Amino acid sequence: MRLKRTVGVVAALAVTLAGVTACRDSREIALGTTGKPHIKIMVGGLSKVIYLPGQLAQQIGAYQRQGLDVELFDQPSGANAETSLLAGEVQAVVGFYDHTIDLQAKEQCIESVVQFANVPGEAEMVATAKAGEVKSGADFKGRNLGVTSLGSSTDFLTKALALRGGVTSKEYTPVKVGAGQTFISAMNQGSIDAGMTTDPTIAQLTNTGQAKVLYDMRTVEGTKAALGGLYPASSLYMGCEIVKRYPDIVQKLANAYVETLKWISTHTPEQVAAMMPPSFAGGDKALYVKSLEDSLPMFTKDGRMDPAGAQNVLKVLGESSSNVKPKKDKIDLSKTYTTQFVDAAHAQAQQ
């Protein structure tokens, strides 16, 4: 597996699962060459707007102000990012909260320490040529549906939408198509009839007329209509053991992200776009700004989890996930997220 370092980092670091045992235990946080705590964070798609706080915190100097040496890595799929955490390659993930529930069902303890959004920020897109045939989850039967990868949050959400339409996961074919250009190519080539993706891919598809939005989960209203309630999604999650071992460092990360979320809420999409690496715009800055306009409202202003939303994530997974369903009643949500560090960050900011 290759880890792609984020913009501004000089060399790429390739780590194979077979070589993990020879590396430093990811449950330990060492000092970097700068003398600051060196933290590796895997992002389930650096250029995806849903995970924007991960890179933006770097751009506005939030990590640096907390005395942290943060190294960001890029994986196109949240499922792969989760694997990197479990394999010991990184100490944290910017990814979807629902993985914490899925992993608890597999007897792994992972905890969201900052909640970036209480809605998925995803949309189910249907190819324009198929829009007259695929009008809801009830029409997923017999279709090829794009997901970033099997076991990803897009996979979880696709199963949920299908089930709400009376279609089981065995009655359609999930197709691993990644995100961005690979997703767009799969739709253009007819490999998928519809698929789950995020901005800026959504904006690219709608702007060109290649696809239409079937389910829009970038808003509270759209999420409630699609999933019966809020669905807390993008977050910073870490292994429970490292959270207990390094509370001071986790607190500094929470401080950085609370600062970043506040910065997002007080700046325009144009100002946010100007702060991001130029490559994130994919050569079309105006379209990138449009994608930010459509998606930035999903971010929380305070980084706190919505408790009812967490309950709804468990409800959705308990109905649609073959892994979570048999263990739904045994899931302890209090072990899947904490507001301790975010609450402390706000208290510090008020002093």
Side-chain angles (χ1 to χ4, degrees):
M1 178 183 297
R2 182 170 295 276
L3 305 180
K4 293 178 284 185
R5 297 177 78 165
T6 186
V7 177
V9 181
V10 179
L13 175 65
V15 181
T16 62
L17 297 182
V20 167
T21 55
C23 301
R24 179 178 295 276
D25 188 337
S26 71
R27 292 169 297 180
E28 297 179 5
I29 297 178
L31 296 181
T33 56
T34 61
K36 300 175 181 178
H38 180 65
I39 304 161
K40 297 178 182 179
I41 301 178
M42 182 65 77
V43 183
L46 268 172
S47 63
K48 295 178 182 177
V49 176
I50 56 173
Y51 299 141
L52 181 140
Q55 183 70 54
L56 183 59
Q58 193 87 280
Q59 302 301 113
I60 66 173
Y63 298 134
Q64 295 90 322
R65 279 187 285 278
Q66 292 299 319
L68 299 175
D69 176 14
V70 172
E71 187 173 13
L72 300 175
F73 295 88
D74 189 16
Q75 272 285 3
S77 165
N80 292 340
E82 168 196 296
T83 299
S84 295
L85 181 68
L86 297 178
E89 297 173 358
V90 296
Q91 290 89 29
V93 168
V94 171
F96 265 38
Y97 163 71
D98 51 19
H99 288 285
T100 69
I101 295 176
D102 179 63
L103 286 171
Q104 189 180 128
K106 299 174 183 175
E107 300 184 351
Q108 296 278 353
C109 188
I110 304 296
E111 189 173 34
S112 167
V113 295
V114 183
Q115 196 62 42
F116 297 161
N118 282 316
V119 298
E122 304 265 3
E124 181 71 16
M125 306 296 294
V126 58
T128 301
K130 302 292 178 66
E133 305 168 17
V134 184
K135 299 179 180 180
S136 73
D139 300 318
F140 286 178
K141 188 173 182 179
R143 299 291 178 176
N144 291 333
L145 305 178
V147 298
T148 52
S149 68
L150 300 182
S152 67
S153 293
T154 55
D155 190 16
F156 295 159
L157 289 170
T158 301
K159 288 178 180 177
L161 293 177
L163 189 62
R164 288 175 70 84
V167 178
T168 71
S169 60
K170 295 181 180 180
E171 294 179 297
Y172 69 87
T173 302
V175 182
K176 177 182 176 181
V177 293
Q181 289 305 312
T182 57
F183 183 99
I184 293 172
S185 295
M187 185 159 281
N188 287 341
Q189 294 168 7
S191 301
I192 57 174
D193 301 303
M196 186 81 64
T197 192
T198 64
D199 274 315
T201 306
I202 296 169
Q204 292 171 335
L205 287 167
T206 55
N207 186 60
T208 58
Q210 294 167 296
K212 296 183 178 181
V213 175
L214 182 60
Y215 289 102
D216 193 341
M217 293 174 286
R218 294 173 293 179
T219 67
V220 169
E221 296 77 13
T223 300
K224 288 181 175 179
L227 301 172
L230 293 178
Y231 194 95
S234 59
S235 66
L236 176 75
Y237 65 76
M238 308 176 76
C240 296
E241 184 172 345
I242 204 167
V243 173
K244 292 178 181 177
R245 186 180 294 186
Y246 297 101
D248 292 345
I249 294 177
V250 176
Q251 185 62 63
K252 291 179 182 296
L253 281 171
N255 294 347
Y257 285 127
V258 166
E259 176 190 345
T260 302
L261 290 168
K262 182 178 180 181
W263 194 96
I264 292 172
S265 71
T266 55
H267 288 76
T268 66
E270 289 81 5
Q271 290 171 321
V272 174
M275 289 300 300
M276 301 304 288
S279 62
F280 282 35
D284 192 334
K285 189 170 182 179
L287 189 60
Y288 185 58
V289 170
K290 174 63 167 59
S291 71
L292 291 173
E293 289 176 350
D294 291 338
S295 288
L296 288 184
M298 74 179 175
F299 291 115
T300 65
K301 295 181 179 180
D302 57 14
R304 292 188 174 98
M305 170 69 77
D306 183 282
Q311 287 284 350
N312 191 51
V313 174
L314 176 58
K315 179 178 182 292
V316 170
L317 292 182
E319 293 170 348
S320 59
S321 168
S322 59
N323 177 50
V324 176
K325 188 173 183 178
K327 300 180 180 180
K328 178 183 177 182
D329 295 337
K330 296 181 180 179
I331 297 294
D332 183 353
L333 285 181
S334 70
K335 294 181 179 179
T336 64
Y337 72 91
T338 178
T339 62
Q340 168 191 345
F341 300 100
V342 169
D343 291 340
H346 286 286
Q348 290 177 25
Q350 294 174 358
Q351 293 178 355

